Amino acid sequence: MRDYKSPGQYILDQYAPRIDDLSFPLWMNLGLWQEAETYADACRALADLVAQRVGLGPEDELLDAGCGFGHPARHWLETYRPKRIVGLNIDPEQVRIANARAAALGVADRMQFLLASATRMPFPDQSFDKVIALESAFYFDTREDFLREAFRVLRPGGRIVLADMLPTATWKTTERNKSVRWYSMKPEENVYPLAEYLERIRAAGFVDVRGESIRQHVFPGISQVVDAIRLENRYAGDLVVKVSPEERARCAGADLWENDLGLGDFAIFEGTR
Ligand SMILES: C[S@@+](CC[C@H](N)C(=O)[O-])C[C@H]1O[C@@H](n2cnc3c(N)ncnc32)[C@H](O)[C@@H]1O
C-alpha cells in the first residue's frame, strides 16, 4: 500500500500559527457557493446541505467518515445537537488536532475522532443512525469498501449522505488526469460517473438511493479562491467571491478539476439502509 499523503498538509503548512485558535475555522472542502461569498460560509453551507439531507437530529449517533480537522463535526454538534459524533480519519495529525479542539471546547464526551480507515471501521454492526462522507469518499481505497462498511455499521432505517467529486458522463482518461489522480491519492477504482455511482450505492444494499449534481454551486466559487491562492499567494479566507448567473450557468472554473483530475462533477448522494 502507498504511504498516504494528506490533503490537509497545505492547511498545516499555511496556517500553523492559527491551528490552536478555536475561532479559526479548519474546513477542508470545496464549499457550496449558492449564497455564500466566503470560503468558511461556503464550507458551512455544504456541511449544512449534507446534514439536512441525512436528517441529522438530537437522537442520532453520527459517523463522519473522512472527518478532516473535525470542523464539520463541531458545526453539526453545535447546530443539530446529535447525541454523539464519531469521526474517522487516516491522517494522525488531523485526528490529533480534531480531538485537541474537541477537548478545548469541552465536548470531548460527545465528539471523538479515531485514527482508522473508512474502508475498515473499528465498530460492531449497527452502531450508528447516520453516516456522512463530506468530500472524502473519492479518497477511500475503495469507495465501494466504504459503502459496504457504512451499510454494516448503520442501524436498519439509518441514512447515508455523501458529497463527492466524480467524473462527468463524458469524461475520458488521459495520461495527465490519471497521473494527477495518482499523485493526489485518488484511486482509479473510484472513477465513475453519477449513474454508475447510484448503482454502486444500491449494490451495497441501500434503498431510496438518489443523487444530484451540484457542480454549478461548487466549482465557480471555489475556483476563484484557488486562483487567489495561486496567483496572489495569499490566505483566501477573507476573499469575497461573487458568482454571476452566467458563470454559474457555464460552471466557470470546472475545467481546472475536469482537465487536471478528470473529476469535473460534484454531486450529493443519499440512501437508506
Ligand atoms: C477533502 S478532506 C474533507 C475533510 C472534511 N470532511 C471537511 O469537509 O472539512 C478529505 C478527508 O478524508 C480523509 N481520508 C482520506 N482517506 C481516508 C480513509 N481511507 N479513511 C478515513 N478518512 C480518510 C483525509 O485525511 C481528509 O481528512
Side-chain angles (χ1 to χ4, degrees):
M1 206 179 129
R2 290 173 62 194
D3 285 344
Y4 179 67
K5 269 190 293 179
S6 170
Q9 195 56 47
Y10 172 80
I11 292 180
L12 295 174
D13 293 345
Q14 295 291 315
Y15 310 131
R18 307 186 68 175
I19 298 291
D20 293 333
D21 171 0
L22 291 176
S23 68
F24 186 67
L26 286 177
W27 297 104
M28 197 173 24
N29 63 60
L30 300 186
L32 184 77
W33 302 83
Q34 216 162 357
E35 286 163 17
E37 296 186 343
T38 64
Y39 181 63
D41 284 352
C43 290
R44 191 182 311 110
L46 187 58
D48 281 331
L49 179 65
V50 294
Q52 285 154 16
R53 289 282 173 98
V54 89
L56 189 60
E59 298 306 314
D60 289 332
E61 296 192 80
L62 168 70
L63 176 69
D64 179 13
C67 61
F69 293 96
H71 207 78
R74 169 181 169 180
H75 173 65
W76 294 324
L77 196 78
E78 290 170 353
T79 310
Y80 301 91
R81 312 225 153 253
K83 235 189 259 171
R84 186 168 81 105
I85 304 180
V86 178
L88 290 184
N89 202 325
I90 55 169
D91 183 312
E93 189 59 2
Q94 290 176 36
V95 170
R96 186 191 68 72
I97 291 168
N99 280 319
R101 286 188 146 215
L105 288 164
V107 293
D109 55 333
R110 293 174 57 214
M111 191 164 90
Q112 293 100 31
F113 302 94
L114 306 180
L115 182 65
S117 176
T119 57
R120 282 186 62 190
M121 298 184 189
F123 310 114
D125 297 356
Q126 304 188 12
S127 300
F128 295 94
D129 306 289
K130 307 279 159 75
V131 172
I132 290 177
L134 172 51
E135 205 185 296
S136 46
F138 56 81
Y139 285 111
F140 300 162
D141 193 6
T142 63
R143 187 192 279 131
E144 276 185 291
D145 290 338
F146 160 66
L147 290 170
R148 267 194 296 276
E149 278 289 80
F151 188 85
R152 182 182 69 75
V153 303
L154 272 170
R155 300 186 176 115
R159 303 255 307 139
I160 185 170
V161 168
L162 309 95
D164 212 351
M165 217 188 295
L166 61 159
T168 60
T170 56
W171 114 100
K172 287 194 178 42
T173 292
T174 62
E175 279 311 310
R176 178 189 166 91
N177 67 35
K178 200 170 167 182
S179 68
V180 176
R181 284 195 295 276
W182 189 84
Y183 276 109
S184 59
M185 309 295 300
K186 298 179 178 73
E188 284 306 294
E189 291 87 339
N190 295 344
V191 185
Y192 41 83
L194 194 140
E196 190 174 340
Y197 201 128
L198 294 170
E199 283 313 309
R200 298 205 187 194
I201 300 176
R202 288 190 190 105
F206 291 97
V207 296
D208 298 334
V209 173
R210 277 188 280 270
E212 159 196 10
S213 175
I214 53 171
R215 67 196 290 270
Q216 300 100 313
H217 300 307
V218 174
F219 295 122
I222 191 64
S223 63
Q224 293 189 33
V225 175
V226 171
D227 283 349
I229 294 173
R230 275 189 179 172
L231 304 177
E232 299 165 34
N233 193 24
R234 68 177 187 90
Y235 170 65
D238 56 354
L239 187 76
V240 175
V241 170
K242 304 274 184 197
V243 177
S244 71
E246 182 273 325
E247 286 168 325
R248 200 180 298 289
R250 66 179 164 89
C251 203
D255 48 338
L256 190 64
W257 283 268
E258 185 103 52
N259 299 339
D260 279 3
L261 268 174
L263 303 177
D265 201 359
F266 196 101
I268 181 155
F269 297 93
E270 59 186 272
T272 302
R273 187 212 197 280

